[in-house]
Amino acid sequence: WGKFMRKRKHKNKNWEKLDNTAVLFPAIASEETTNVYRISVNLTEEVDAELLQKALDMVLPGFDTFNVCMQKGIFWYYFETNNKPAPKVVKEHDFPCRYIEPYSNNNYLFRITYYRKRINLEVFHVLADGMGGINFLREITYQYLRLKYSDIAAVKKDRLSDYTSLNTEDSYVKNYKKSHAKGYATKRAVEIKGEKLSRGELGVIHGYMSVKQIKEAAGKYDVSINEYFVIVFIYSIYVEYLKRMKSDKAIVCAVPVNLRPYFDSMTTRNFFVMVSAIFKADNEEYSFEEIAEIIKKSLRGQIVKEHLEELFSYNVSNQKNILLRSIPFFIKKIAMKLVYLSSAKANTSTVTNIGNIKTDKEYSPYIKSFHAMISVSAGQNIKGAICSYGDTMVFTFTSILRDTSIQRRFFRKIVEDGVDVEIESNGVYYD
């Protein structure tokens, strides 16, 4: 670490622009729309808070993506190296994905909490997407385990893993092509409404499953695991919320697509676009199989490199527009908020899959599972997040609605397809 830290101190660059997706988040963030996601690791033993703080203190200076504070310029926000001590690790005492107030957090835009055997990383999306978050949490966990267990420390040195990327490029700008096609719809979608939980509360339900069983279930319908979860979610909304009735609005599920494999990127910052799984109930009584075919075609027609390139190139072209760039930020902020609210109403929900998380074999015996969750947002009162580790797949619902019929239908359908599901919740529905 010493050699690495000395090298880092000699870097000249101490500020950086926000990436193309990140510029939106400061404009729309609020107590209700926090744009905070969580990735958690469940260990085999209780967390030692003192060692966890030490691990964070050691790892943070190596991550330029997270070791920043956000400053407001005349035209845009920008990142600046944060020279304050790392944020304080605390025992979890509040609901997940709450707004991160920088001034009470040493100006950092992430937080680390723990509860029993679980370590939580919560990130304001302005910093990074799920891939960047996994990178950071995994390294903190590795360092924590090295500090706690001498047998690991004897094999693994106190340094970042060889496969951990520290790349901070804006891959949107690097890969964009001049484009004028607007890629996002603004037509209003079905909005799931109902009695809400008390202000500030967030209902969380985890479903633990076998990756092998989920693959078999998805295979019955000739769809991928990701497609299968999106299809079951949309089917559950159709059955429980629309009551299998016709609707003049479509159920639209936003699905983030990781762009790194398509454009050979290793960036730890945001690099994704949203595609939409769309189902419109023009008739009554659609079967699950019929909905599966509609959603499969809807997604596969969009997840091709050329279309993905069009989606983010449109956004980058706006950012590069000289006239737009010269408008003061307070005016841009109003405009971005209006555009966001318009596009947000075009989605019923979001389902994000941060993929399969891998760890070095030396650490694996001490790690039980991972899970992820995302905050709700305007017009989207319930959302889903997926991740897996080994043969354990976890689908996590976050919701501010008191009713859980959609979640129950979702897991019931998966059980009907031959998958064993273990349910865990944060207890908010037991009140």
Side-chain angles (χ1 to χ4, degrees):
W1 283 100
K3 182 180 176 184
F4 178 78
M5 293 293 291
R6 285 194 299 274
K7 183 179 176 185
R8 191 177 179 279
K9 282 179 182 176
H10 288 100
K11 288 177 71 176
N12 294 320
K13 190 173 185 181
N14 65 353
W15 72 275
E16 198 156 22
K17 293 179 181 178
L18 275 62
D19 65 65
N20 182 256
T21 294
V23 295
L24 173 67
F25 296 121
I28 62 173
S30 67
E31 292 284 348
E32 283 73 36
T33 303
T34 66
N35 291 292
V36 170
Y37 66 83
R38 171 188 283 199
I39 304 173
S40 302
V41 57
N42 296 294
L43 305 178
T44 55
E45 294 185 9
E46 298 263 330
V47 173
D48 182 320
E50 193 175 320
L51 289 185
L52 181 56
Q53 182 70 61
K54 190 174 179 182
L56 174 60
D57 293 343
M58 293 173 74
V59 170
L60 178 58
F63 275 83
D64 289 347
T65 307
F66 288 84
N67 193 35
V68 294
C69 55
M70 191 167 60
Q71 304 287 359
K72 191 191 296 184
I74 297 172
F75 301 108
W76 294 108
Y77 279 105
Y78 63 93
F79 290 133
E80 196 170 72
T81 302
N82 192 341
N83 294 314
K84 292 186 176 182
K88 182 78 173 167
V89 168
V90 296
K91 186 175 182 179
E92 184 177 10
H93 62 278
D94 213 334
F95 289 93
C97 302
R98 297 293 298 269
Y99 181 74
I100 295 176
E101 175 51 69
Y103 301 112
S104 60
N105 196 46
N106 281 354
N107 287 345
Y108 287 98
L109 300 169
F110 70 92
R111 66 168 71 96
I112 297 281
T113 63
Y114 68 94
Y115 182 73
R116 294 182 179 172
K117 300 177 183 179
R118 188 180 69 234
I119 300 171
N120 309 306
L121 168 67
E122 295 195 336
V123 182
F124 183 26
H125 222 315
V126 71
L127 293 179
D129 58 21
M131 295 303 293
I134 290 167
N135 241 357
F136 190 43
L137 177 61
R138 187 164 42 201
E139 288 298 338
I140 293 169
T141 305
Y142 282 178
Q143 184 60 50
Y144 169 80
L145 294 173
R146 286 195 295 269
L147 291 169
K148 186 163 187 179
Y149 301 106
S150 56
D151 57 328
I152 301 179
V155 178
K156 290 285 189 176
K157 304 299 180 189
D158 286 344
R159 61 180 180 83
L160 298 179
S161 302
D162 292 337
Y163 60 80
T164 293
S165 173
L166 295 176
N167 188 310
T168 62
E169 74 173 18
D170 186 338
S171 291
Y172 293 110
V173 172
K174 180 182 176 183
N175 292 286
Y176 109 103
K177 299 284 192 300
K178 286 192 175 180
S179 168
H180 300 288
K182 184 179 178 183
Y184 296 99
T186 52
K187 195 171 182 180
R188 293 192 74 149
V190 169
E191 182 179 350
I192 303 169
K193 298 178 181 178
E195 184 188 352
K196 292 185 178 180
L197 298 169
S198 299
R199 185 180 170 89
E201 290 187 337
L202 184 70
V204 179
I205 300 176
H206 303 296
Y208 293 84
M209 298 157 265
S210 158
V211 172
K212 184 173 179 288
Q213 289 183 347
I214 282 290
K215 274 184 181 174
E216 290 170 359
K220 294 176 186 175
Y221 306 100
D222 189 30
V223 295
S224 69
I225 288 175
N226 206 41
E227 289 169 338
Y228 175 73
F229 280 129
V230 173
I231 292 162
V232 177
F233 189 24
I234 288 177
Y235 168 77
S236 302
I237 295 168
Y238 169 64
V239 172
E240 295 297 334
Y241 190 71
L242 291 185
K243 307 297 183 186
R244 302 182 190 267
M245 302 290 285
K246 289 172 66 173
S247 173
D248 58 346
K249 294 176 185 172
I251 300 170
V252 182
C253 185
V255 180
V257 177
N258 175 20
L259 295 171
R260 292 168 184 82
Y262 297 91
F263 297 94
D264 193 28
S265 169
M266 291 290 289
T267 186
T268 55
R269 301 171 75 190
N270 290 299
F271 195 39
F272 70 97
V273 292
M274 295 285 199
V275 298
S276 298
I278 303 170
F279 167 69
K280 190 165 185 287
D282 290 322
N283 304 304
E284 293 182 23
E285 291 297 325
Y286 284 86
S287 68
F288 181 82
E289 289 77 7
E290 287 172 325
I291 293 173
E293 280 302 309
I294 292 167
I295 298 304
K296 182 168 71 169
K297 288 177 184 174
S298 173
L299 285 174
R300 292 185 184 180
Q302 297 172 72
I303 305 178
V304 290
K305 184 177 179 179
E306 292 74 21
H307 180 64
L308 300 174
E309 193 174 73
E310 284 176 4
L311 290 176
F312 72 80
S313 290
Y314 173 76
N315 295 336
V316 174
S317 65
N318 284 336
Q319 192 179 351
K320 282 180 167 287
N321 185 301
I322 293 173
L323 289 174
L324 293 176
R325 283 167 64 183
S326 62
I327 297 172
F329 182 74
F330 75 93
I331 297 175
K332 282 197 191 94
K333 186 173 181 177
I334 296 168
M336 283 193 287
K337 210 161 193 172
L338 291 172
V339 170
Y340 165 75
L341 289 171
S342 172
S343 61
K345 296 288 186 180
N347 292 298
T348 305
S349 185
T350 299
V351 171
T352 185
N353 187 348
I354 64 171
N356 178 252
I357 300 173
K358 293 181 170 60
T359 58
D360 288 354
K361 65 180 186 297
E362 290 84 0
Y363 305 98
S364 298
Y366 303 93
I367 297 172
K368 188 178 177 185
S369 64
F370 288 83
H371 55 59
M373 63 183 79
I374 51 178
S375 56
V376 298
S377 56
Q380 299 185 46
N381 295 320
I382 177 173
K383 292 188 181 182
I386 311 158
C387 74
S388 64
Y389 175 70
D391 187 51
T392 303
M393 174 80 70
V394 188
F395 189 103
T396 301
F397 280 107
T398 45
S399 175
I400 56 169
L401 299 175
R402 195 163 292 281
D403 181 64
T404 58
S405 57
I406 291 171
Q407 295 96 313
R408 289 199 305 272
R409 174 68 64 173
F410 178 90
F411 289 119
R412 194 179 301 143
K413 171 59 185 165
I414 290 172
V415 169
E416 286 171 5
D417 282 338
V419 180
D420 299 320
V421 181
E422 183 182 329
I423 302 294
E424 179 185 45
S425 90
N426 66 340
V428 74
Y429 300 112
Y430 304 145
D431 296 342

